[in-house]
Amino acid sequence: LNVTLAVLFVPAAFVSGVPMEIIGGHLITALCAFLIAFGLFAFNIVGGGDAKMIPAVMLWVGPSASITFLFVMAVAGGACAILIIRKTMPVEVVPGAVRAPFEEKAGVPYGVAIAAGVFAAGSQSPFLTDVLSRISLFS
């Protein structure tokens, strides 16, 4: 999923009307996010999937929306971490497909926080809004 997300940026950048300077800013933002996420993974702060998803998403969000993305992601991640229902609901009553976050010593389901950050920051990204507007022209 994360590789697909990153690879799809290439054709989207090719067909977008966004200048190359902005595309370069997106690449630099993703590289910085990769280095930071790799460090967080190395110190066992985030999982490997999250450490790969954050840079892939930052590639699309870019520098202009990165602060909003990171802020909302952090707040949503904190909300997931302190969610009381996760600690009070018995694992046995949770359906098997969604049981993993409710297991003993389960990590925080940070994909939810990453998605919240993208939804909050997407409209602030010139690249993302341009690509989405071009897609909506075809529907």
Side-chain angles (χ1 to χ4, degrees):
L1 174 67
N2 300 323
V3 171
T4 303
L5 188 59
V7 168
L8 285 176
F9 179 81
V10 175
F14 182 73
V15 298
S16 75
V18 177
M20 287 305 292
E21 297 83 25
I22 292 178
I23 303 293
H26 282 250
L27 293 171
I28 291 169
T29 302
L31 178 62
C32 292
F34 175 77
L35 293 173
I36 292 168
F38 181 77
L40 293 173
F41 171 70
F43 287 105
N44 205 23
I45 296 171
V46 297
D50 300 329
K52 292 180 284 190
M53 184 176 280
I54 291 169
V57 167
M58 291 289 281
L59 184 60
W60 286 85
V61 171
S64 60
S66 61
I67 298 298
T68 302
F69 167 73
L70 293 171
F71 178 77
V72 172
M73 181 182 69
V75 170
C80 287
I82 61 173
L83 193 62
I84 296 172
I85 192 169
R86 204 170 143 220
K87 299 295 180 192
T88 60
M89 184 174 286
V91 176
E92 297 78 30
V93 299
V94 179
V98 294
R99 185 173 290 174
F102 294 89
E103 297 284 341
E104 180 102 11
K105 297 192 178 198
V108 175
Y110 222 75
V112 174
I114 295 169
V118 171
F119 282 119
S123 64
Q124 295 176 0
S125 171
F127 174 78
L128 198 52
T129 55
D130 182 72
V131 170
L132 291 176
S133 69
R134 288 176 186 273
I135 290 171
S136 67
L137 293 175
F138 295 113
S139 54

